[in-house]
Amino acid sequence: MSKKHIISGSILAFIIIVLLILIYFFKISFTSLPTNLPIVLAEELTVNGERRHVESITITQSDSNHLNHDEPVQSENEEEIVLDQSNDITRILIDDVRIYHGGRITSDSPEYTAEMSLSDGDSLYLYLTNEYIRIVPPEQNGKLYKVLDKENAVYAYFHSLFEEEQN
């Protein structure tokens, strides 16, 4: 091989390595496109073609961060808010929050846990901050979504509920 081919091959290999490192570091995915929270929740609530209904939502402020794990943890904070009115539940299920499965996520805002009691007796957990939403279906691993909007509307709603409760 000529010296020219060795140099061009080395440069090409270096560029590929740098691209792979950038893809890994920034968690870039070429298969996932942005979606909306209502679409993802509708998929999670549909089992074997039948839609399960949300009977109530219990919201607590989380003591721990669920960015990297799925286990439901009971909060030591005794304050919880239960939404069992259909219009409150519908508001959460249809709030248009743009999300993306993947990406680099850092969170510095408090986390809320929403336990959705479903009509078939199961529970669906949502762990959310202003920066991410982690959806944990029953008996499955959770899915972590980065919030693409400047303000997560569901998070802002939960935050306002707890502020009203404190006043």
Side-chain angles (χ1 to χ4, degrees), residues 138-158:
E139 310 296 328
Q140 297 178 24
N141 291 330
K143 297 176 186 164
L144 182 65
Y145 295 92
K146 179 177 183 169
V147 175
L148 299 176
D149 299 329
K150 284 189 177 186
E151 182 174 286
N152 179 344
V154 176
Y155 176 80
Y157 179 58
F158 287 176

Side-chain angles (χ1 to χ4, degrees), residues 5-158:
H5 286 108
I6 293 173
I7 291 174
S8 60
S10 298
I11 291 172
L12 183 61
F14 177 74
I15 290 171
I16 290 172
I17 290 172
V18 168
L19 285 174
L20 290 174
I21 290 172
L22 289 174
I23 288 170
Y24 177 75
F25 183 73
F26 290 108
K27 296 182 181 174
I28 298 171
S29 171
F30 297 110
T31 59
S32 179
L33 296 173
T35 186
N36 290 347
L37 181 60
I39 293 170
V40 173
L41 286 177
E43 291 171 2
E44 294 296 337
L45 293 173
T46 304
V47 175
N48 298 328
E50 290 189 33
R51 173 94 183 235
R52 300 179 292 177
H53 298 286
V54 179
E55 294 180 346
S56 68
I57 301 174
T58 304
I59 306 164
T60 57
Q61 196 164 4
S62 300
D63 295 328
S64 60
N65 185 303
H66 291 85
L67 183 61
N68 297 316
H69 66 282
D70 298 336
E71 289 300 314
V73 177
Q74 292 293 342
S75 174
E76 291 182 21
N77 183 358
E78 293 180 20
E79 187 176 5
E80 66 180 26
I81 296 174
V82 178
L83 304 177
D84 53 7
Q85 301 293 323
S86 63
N87 57 345
D88 293 333
I89 294 171
T90 302
R91 176 180 179 172
I92 292 169
L93 295 178
I94 65 169
D95 257 339
D96 191 27
V97 178
R98 293 179 325 117
I99 56 178
Y100 175 76
H101 185 53
R104 188 172 185 91
I105 299 172
T106 57
S107 180
D108 58 356
S109 55
E111 183 182 80
Y112 292 100
T113 299
E115 179 184 356
M116 296 181 169
S117 298
L118 306 177
S119 56
D120 64 356
D122 282 337
S123 293
L124 176 69
Y125 288 89
L126 296 180
Y127 303 107
L128 50 102
T129 69
N130 202 39
E131 295 83 16
Y132 71 84
I133 297 175
R134 185 174 197 92
I135 300 172
V136 183
E139 310 296 328
Q140 297 178 24
N141 291 330
K143 297 176 186 164
L144 182 65
Y145 295 92
K146 179 177 183 169
V147 175
L148 299 176
D149 299 329
K150 284 189 177 186
E151 182 174 286
N152 179 344
V154 176
Y155 176 80
Y157 179 58
F158 287 176

